Amino acid sequence: MAHAEAAAKFNENEAKVNWHDKALWFVRQKRDKQAHKIQGWEQLRDYASALKANVLSNLDNYLVQFEENAKKNGVTVHWAANAEEHNKIVHSILQKHNAKKIVKSKSMLTEECHLNPFLEANDIEVIDTDLGERIVQLAQEPPSHIVLPAIHKTKEEVDELFQEHLGTKPSGGNPEYLTREARKHLRNKFLQADAAITGVNFAVADTGGFVVCTNEGNADMGAHLAKVHIACMGMEKLIPQEKHLGIFLRLLARSATGQPITTYSSYFNKPEEGKEMHIVIVDNGRTEQLSREDFRRSLHCIRCGACMNTCPIYRRSGGHSYDATIPGPIGSILSPGKDLTKHSSLPFASTLCGSCSDVCPVKINIHEQLYKWRQIIVKDVPQPFVKKNIMKAVGSILAKPKTYDFVGKSTRFMLKNTPKSLINSKINTWGHARDLPEVKGDNFEEWYKKKTEK
């Protein structure tokens, strides 16, 4: 299903769409307030972007340095070329320890690799311990947002879900009650866990340590209670030195949720005595993306979700309409690199307004990369007959000033004199939800000539 079709399905519930839009814009506004409180915010963004560019240009050296230092700390380092290798490595570690009960904190990499269904197919219980992730896991849905995975669900829907799966009482969507019941449910899972899996927000090359950021402390609970800690990281998560954490941690939470800092920014350096720590470093298409000059900056991404919170398309189409692990503007750059045919509609799910680029904490030129993908797609992927011929006709009109002027005058005349019932007919899908603006007497060129002649 193309993005437009999936978005149309999401838009069937207009009240929920409006709520989803409003909720995400509220987060965007919180981000703006926090950014304006920081002196040198733009300089921080410049620093972060430059550091990421440095890492990508010297990735081989930083990866070797990180591995060497991690091994010195007593951490076992594994390398995975793709999702299949990643899943097999994690499974082999769990098999070695006869681990059958796993707690997992939020990790978009494990979502990307489809680790949960792989482990479940091998008779291993995997419990997502982030509250939002647990909600979508119970609903048997993928996350719809990389920071707010259950943003598409109302508290009333969560109430019904918990009644079905956790045996809770109806509460009318009471957030305090639902959170308390989720805590009770997850506490037992933590205590019974044989191993813990976490993601990695930042891996520090000069120490071999890594940082995991959460607001619920679930990564710490799992990692400290279980005997085995497996951290799964994309190879682009590296930063050069420990001191650079001060830049990225100040940017991450403010951009993601409008907080000064995440409640827990946990630095893991080495395993506790009598325990094991493993790091799985994953490529899975990242080196290929790095080789694409126009798109390599997409690997700067620190997974804050700010581009989703601001995007007018994402806010009113929902994360599931992208049918990709990473939705929204940044996902619309990453996904075509993995499967151009499947995800060919995503770069067109954008107004190219540039708001995503404006809020990106590492200054990825997101809207420009989306435009680049469009240029590639119209050449390499067969386009629908109607769209292809309409674009040809429009291109021909725009290339000839006299034709453009004639068509413009004719269109303005028709819009002025044609009944609205015909303008907003079934053929005009734009007219289903909005009116065209009122047509004035002149176009810009005519208006400008009159002004300059005076």
Side-chain angles (χ1 to χ4, degrees):
M1 188 183 295
H3 177 271
E5 294 168 334
K9 189 175 180 182
F10 182 76
N11 273 263
E12 288 173 1
N13 187 338
E14 188 175 351
K16 190 172 181 180
V17 171
N18 291 337
W19 167 82
H20 187 264
D21 183 14
K22 187 178 178 181
L24 286 165
W25 188 248
F26 173 71
V27 180
R28 160 67 205 267
Q29 290 177 314
K30 285 175 65 183
R31 174 262 177 208
D32 291 348
K33 288 176 184 176
Q34 286 295 333
H36 294 153
K37 289 178 182 178
I38 297 291
Q39 283 190 343
W41 174 259
E42 290 304 314
Q43 193 173 18
L44 279 175
R45 293 177 70 211
D46 287 335
Y47 284 152
S49 180
L51 284 166
K52 280 292 186 178
N54 173 265
V55 167
L56 294 180
S57 296
N58 301 279
L59 189 58
D60 52 344
N61 295 326
Y62 284 125
L63 284 168
V64 170
Q65 183 186 13
F66 176 75
E67 180 188 32
E68 289 174 351
N69 288 322
K71 286 181 175 178
K72 287 177 187 175
N73 296 336
V75 178
T76 305
V77 179
H78 309 263
W79 299 85
N82 50 44
E84 184 181 2
E85 284 188 17
H86 165 269
N87 293 346
K88 287 180 178 177
I89 289 167
V90 173
H91 184 232
S92 67
I93 298 167
L94 298 176
Q95 274 188 316
K96 175 187 168 186
H97 295 275
N98 196 30
K100 292 293 183 182
K101 295 179 182 290
I102 312 303
V103 288
K104 182 165 75 71
S105 68
K106 188 186 293 175
S107 164
M108 293 314 297
L109 177 68
T110 60
E111 291 287 342
E112 176 187 325
C113 295
H114 305 292
L115 178 65
N116 282 22
F118 178 85
L119 294 179
E120 288 163 355
N122 284 279
D123 299 319
I124 295 174
E125 179 189 68
V126 186
I127 301 296
D128 283 307
T129 58
D130 173 270
L131 179 54
E133 291 278 354
R134 186 60 179 147
I135 288 168
V136 295
Q137 186 180 34
L138 290 173
Q140 297 183 326
E141 296 173 354
S144 67
H145 189 289
I146 61 177
V147 174
L148 311 165
I151 189 65
H152 60 288
K153 289 201 171 295
T154 63
K155 58 184 184 291
E156 291 78 16
E157 289 172 327
V158 175
D159 194 342
E160 292 177 7
L161 192 70
F162 278 19
Q163 289 175 51
E164 179 184 351
H165 294 278
L166 306 186
T168 56
K169 298 175 182 177
S171 70
N174 183 295
E176 290 79 9
Y177 171 73
L178 295 172
T179 303
R180 189 165 59 248
E181 291 301 309
R183 189 179 291 123
K184 286 181 194 174
H185 161 68
L186 289 171
R187 187 58 56 94
N188 287 330
K189 300 297 183 182
F190 282 120
L191 294 171
Q192 296 166 6
D194 301 313
I197 297 174
T198 70
V200 172
N201 288 96
F202 307 105
V204 185
D206 75 339
T207 67
F210 59 93
V211 173
V212 181
C213 301
T214 68
N215 276 328
E216 300 166 26
N218 52 308
D220 299 74
M221 284 279 288
H224 291 305
L225 287 172
K227 291 183 179 180
V228 181
H229 176 190
I230 305 171
C232 306
M233 62 171 272
M235 61 199 303
E236 82 285 7
K237 292 291 185 178
L238 286 167
I239 61 173
Q241 298 175 12
E242 190 174 36
K243 67 181 181 181
H244 297 139
L245 283 169
I247 296 170
F248 288 97
L249 290 175
R250 292 174 79 190
L251 288 167
L252 177 61
R254 287 178 170 87
S255 299
T257 54
Q259 299 169 251
I261 195 167
T262 46
T263 310
Y264 299 87
S265 300
S266 307
Y267 197 150
F268 295 96
N269 202 46
K270 60 182 179 181
E272 295 177 44
E273 190 174 342
K275 296 185 178 182
E276 285 187 18
M277 184 180 289
H278 297 258
I279 297 172
V280 187
I281 303 173
V282 184
D283 183 339
N284 201 36
R286 286 160 175 78
T287 51
E288 188 175 356
Q289 188 77 340
L290 185 61
S291 71
R292 299 180 177 117
E293 189 61 36
D294 289 331
F295 305 109
R296 61 182 286 147
R297 282 177 66 185
S298 62
L299 295 175
H300 290 197
C301 180
I302 59 173
R303 301 294 192 266
C304 69
C307 61
M308 299 169 201
N309 301 337
T310 197
C311 177
I313 305 298
Y314 175 88
R315 295 200 319 266
R316 299 197 67 82
S317 63
H320 291 157
S321 64
Y322 292 79
D323 191 23
T325 304
I326 309 292
I330 189 64
S332 298
I333 297 169
L334 297 171
S335 298
K338 293 191 172 182
D339 189 334
L340 187 60
T341 302
K342 178 183 177 183
H343 299 296
S344 62
S345 68
L346 297 188
F348 295 92
S350 170
T351 63
L352 300 182
C353 65
S355 184
C356 48
S357 302
D358 290 340
V359 300
C360 177
V362 288
K363 290 199 167 182
I364 302 170
N365 57 334
I366 299 173
H367 69 294
E368 292 175 356
Q369 293 189 39
L370 290 171
Y371 178 61
K372 287 282 185 182
W373 269 126
R374 291 185 184 188
Q375 292 175 304
I376 292 169
I377 288 165
V378 294
K379 289 179 182 176
D380 297 350
V381 179
Q383 297 299 299
F385 176 82
V386 173
K387 178 181 177 180
K388 185 167 64 174
N389 284 280
I390 286 175
M391 294 306 290
K392 276 184 181 179
V394 171
S396 177
I397 292 167
L398 293 175
K400 299 169 184 175
K402 287 184 179 179
T403 306
Y404 175 76
D405 186 52
F406 172 76
V407 171
K409 286 179 178 177
S410 303
T411 303
R412 289 196 301 277
F413 176 82
M414 286 189 289
L415 289 174
K416 273 183 181 179
N417 298 285
T418 305
K420 274 196 174 183
S421 58
L422 289 177
I423 294 172
N424 293 341
S425 63
K426 289 183 179 180
I427 298 172
N428 177 20
T429 54
W430 282 81
H432 295 174
R434 60 182 69 76
D435 278 328
L436 289 167
E438 183 184 348
V439 179
K440 303 295 183 182
D442 302 326
N443 64 13
F444 175 78
E445 185 180 9
E446 291 165 341
W447 172 86
Y448 184 75
K449 281 180 180 177
K450 287 179 183 177
K451 290 287 184 183
T452 54
E453 285 171 1
K454 288 180 180 179

